[in-house]
């Protein structure tokens, strides 16, 4: 195969969404698999709808996902090139002016055939196509025309895009023919549907790429998930970026629509949280604790790197996003923890004494490691003649504010001596009063 040159060409009229991100990824993977070039081209000729904010959002989204581009263009920098191409068609009699705009003449007879790498041969009767504006009255080019001129000038070999563009392809092929230029190969990706098999929308959870970052998803999880929206390699579900580059090609892309499944995205994200390097995960956890208003930057820093790493290690096992992990880490910081509804009634009055006894035993620990905590707690229970299960859940909720947490001795140790003792004594007081 000659050198592969592909492009992702978004219109900056809004955020980069799931469909656009998948198209960008498939182009990026195809270029990297074949040792080719990935071009980012911002199609900003629609001045009434394009915004600088949207352009920046696209750049930030692709950068966060790690989809680095080799060449960058803005269509508005090429307006003179588009005008010269339109003048060429006017000279050839293949275009005409009307009401200040330049129109392309569609042949009235014959058939235009799209040889699609995914869909096969698709035929369009020219008689069913209409003449189209290629230059607006303000001199700016329209999508179908600028797209052809730019793809041709940039040496694009493969146009990989959503199948919602299929109806544009015969018009573009006719423009290629009129300009005497060689068209690229086309591959139209099947659309992405919501779980109810309707067109994907916000109500299905399809939001901007950067919103997924805010919600605590890892970029490698998004890449993995987007890759599986219409592409497969056997039964494998979890792919690293390196594996995707090695394995991806168009023959693995399915012909039927892909279904967006947020539950699967959460599962994939959990898998990548568990695989994440611990130092990086601790740094991310600290960022999300601040983002979610759980604690200040100074309070997070006061925990120290070792405790943050231990927290990240424990909390990633039961939480599916960094936001979930951040909220589960609330117990590490001062302040009263609200008890969940299902924990009401756990603090029977007869637990007041045992909880105070346990607090006293923990206060006497020389070290506050999980092992030392377990030894002290079990020693106190032995003196009381109580099994661990009699108090475990009450202690768990008192320390963490949750009925489910990492191991009991781990969370007591992680909370630290001062917080753990204060919360156990408060729980004992509440039990004595029958307050919970």
């Amino acid at each position: 195969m000659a050198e592969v040159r592909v492009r992702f060409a978004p219109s900056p009229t809004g955020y980069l969404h799931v469909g656009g991100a998948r198209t960008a990824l498939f182009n990026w993977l195809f270029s990297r698999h074949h040792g080719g070039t990935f071009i980012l081209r911002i199609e900003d000729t629609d001045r009434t709808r394009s915004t600088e904010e949207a352009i920046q959002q696209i750049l930030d989204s692709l950068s966060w996902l790690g989809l680095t581009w080799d060449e960058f263009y803005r269509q508005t920098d090429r307006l003179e090139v588009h005008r010269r191409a339109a003048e060429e068609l006017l000279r050839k009699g293949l275009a005409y002016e009307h009401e200040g705009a330049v129109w392309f003449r569609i042949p009235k007879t014959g058939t235009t055939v799209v040889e699609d790498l995914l869909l096969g041969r698709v035929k369009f009767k020219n008689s069913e196509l209409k003449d189209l504006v290629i230059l607006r009255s303000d001199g700016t080019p329209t999508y179908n025309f600028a797209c052809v001129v730019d793809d041709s000038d940039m040496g694009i070999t493969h146009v990989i895009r959503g199948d919602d563009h299929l109806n544009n392809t015969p018009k573009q092929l006719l423009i290629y023919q009129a300009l005497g230029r060689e068209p690229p190969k086309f591959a139209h990706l099947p659309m992405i549907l919501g779980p109810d098999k309707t067109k994907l929308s916000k109500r299905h959870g399809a939001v901007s790429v950067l919103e997924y970052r805010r919600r605590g998803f890892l970029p490698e999880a998004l890449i993995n998930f987007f890759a599986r929206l219409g592409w497969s390699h056997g039964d494998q579900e979890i792919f690293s970026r390196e594996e995707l580059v090695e394995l991806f090609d168009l023959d693995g892309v399915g012909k039927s629509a892909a279904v967006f499944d947020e539950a699967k995205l959460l599962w994939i994200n959990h898998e990548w949280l568990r695989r994440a390097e611990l130092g990086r995960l601790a740094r991310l956890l600290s960022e999300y604790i601040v983002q979610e208003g759980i604690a200040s930057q100074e309070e997070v820093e006061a925990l120290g790197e070792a405790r943050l790493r231990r927290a990240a290690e424990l909390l990633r096992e039961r939480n599916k996003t960094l936001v979930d992990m951040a909220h589960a880490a609330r117990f590490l910081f001062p302040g009263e923890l609200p008890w969940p509804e299902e924990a009401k009634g756990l603090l029977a009055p007869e637990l007041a004494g045992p909880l105070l006894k346990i607090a006293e035993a923990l206060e006497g620990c020389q070290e506050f490691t999980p092992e030392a905590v377990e030894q002290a707690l079990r020693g106190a229970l032995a003196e009381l003649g109580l099994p661990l299960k009699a108090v475990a859940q009450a202690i768990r909720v008192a320390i963490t504010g949750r009925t489910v947490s990492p191991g009991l001795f781990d969370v007591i140790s992680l909370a630290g001596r001062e917080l753990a003792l204060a919360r156990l004594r408060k729980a004992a007081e509440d039990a004595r009063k029958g307050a919970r």
Side-chain angles (χ1 to χ4, degrees), residues 40 43 149 188 222 225 272 332 341 387 421:
L40 174 61
E43 303 203 329
V149 175
H188 288 91
L222 264 293
F225 178 69
W272 280 107
L332 299 175
E341 194 62 38
L421 297 183

Side-chain angles (χ1 to χ4, degrees), residues 227-228 230-239 247 251-253 264:
R228 289 290 290 111
W231 175 86
S232 63
H233 179 74
D235 296 327
Q236 188 172 340
E237 290 289 355
I238 301 298
F239 295 88
L247 298 171
D251 57 8
V253 177
K264 184 173 180 179

Side-chain angles (χ1 to χ4, degrees), residues 385-404:
L386 289 173
L388 179 60
K389 65 180 181 182
V391 295
Q393 201 63 338
I395 295 174
R396 185 186 311 280
V397 179
I399 298 292
T400 69
R402 295 176 169 231
T403 56
V404 177

Side-chain angles (χ1 to χ4, degrees), residues 219-386:
E220 53 266 46
L222 264 293
I223 289 289
N224 191 156
F225 178 69
F226 291 153
R228 289 290 290 111
L229 285 174
W231 175 86
S232 63
H233 179 74
D235 296 327
Q236 188 172 340
E237 290 289 355
I238 301 298
F239 295 88
S240 67
R241 189 182 302 263
E242 293 73 24
E243 286 177 302
L244 288 171
V245 168
E246 179 187 349
L247 298 171
F248 183 88
D249 216 338
L250 292 176
D251 57 8
V253 177
K255 292 180 173 56
S256 56
V259 176
F260 181 92
D261 182 352
E262 175 126 349
K264 184 173 180 179
L265 172 57
L266 286 165
W267 175 78
I268 289 174
N269 198 60
H270 188 218
E271 289 297 310
W272 280 107
L273 285 175
R274 294 173 66 188
R275 288 166 165 76
E277 189 273 320
L278 205 50
R280 174 194 173 212
L281 190 62
R283 289 191 295 275
L284 286 170
L285 176 59
S286 69
E287 291 174 17
Y288 280 83
I289 288 171
V290 175
Q291 172 190 291
E292 293 299 299
I294 306 300
S296 67
Q297 186 65 47
E298 293 72 24
E299 288 173 315
V300 173
E301 289 172 1
L303 284 180
E305 186 179 343
R307 283 178 75 192
L308 261 176
R309 286 173 67 96
R310 182 62 176 151
E313 184 178 24
L314 292 173
L315 295 175
R316 67 178 168 185
E317 292 302 322
R318 291 179 177 270
N319 295 283
K320 294 180 179 178
T321 69
L322 285 158
V323 165
D324 291 343
M325 287 177 63
H327 285 276
R330 186 180 293 275
F331 77 97
L332 299 175
F333 304 97
E336 186 173 352
L337 300 172
W339 280 43
E341 194 62 38
E342 65 268 24
K344 302 293 172 61
L346 275 178
L347 283 186
E350 59 268 22
L351 286 183
L355 288 173
L356 284 174
K357 176 76 172 175
I358 289 166
E360 184 182 328
L362 292 175
E363 190 172 22
C365 286
Q366 286 192 328
E367 296 182 327
F368 215 67
T369 62
E371 296 76 19
V373 164
E374 179 177 5
Q375 186 177 0
L377 200 154
R378 290 192 184 278
L381 289 172
E383 289 182 33
L384 293 165
L386 289 173

Side-chain angles (χ1 to χ4, degrees), residues 87-120:
E87 288 168 3
E88 178 185 340
L89 294 180
L90 283 168
R91 286 196 305 272
K92 290 179 176 179
L94 300 175
Y96 59 93
E97 292 187 66
H98 179 62
E99 293 186 357
V102 178
W103 293 68
F104 178 70
R105 294 186 195 276
I106 297 286
K108 300 297 181 244
T109 60
T111 301
T112 300
V113 178
V114 178
E115 299 285 0
D116 194 273
L117 295 174
L118 296 176
L119 305 177

Side-chain angles (χ1 to χ4, degrees), residues 112 114 124 129 165-175:
T112 300
V114 178
F124 295 86
L129 305 175
H165 281 288
L166 181 61
N167 288 335
N168 289 320
T169 310
K171 304 168 194 172
Q172 292 175 8
L173 285 172
L174 288 168
I175 295 172

Side-chain angles (χ1 to χ4, degrees), residues 57 117 123 127 154 219 234 237:
Q57 201 266 5
L117 295 174
K123 296 181 180 180
S127 60
M154 294 172 191
E237 290 289 355

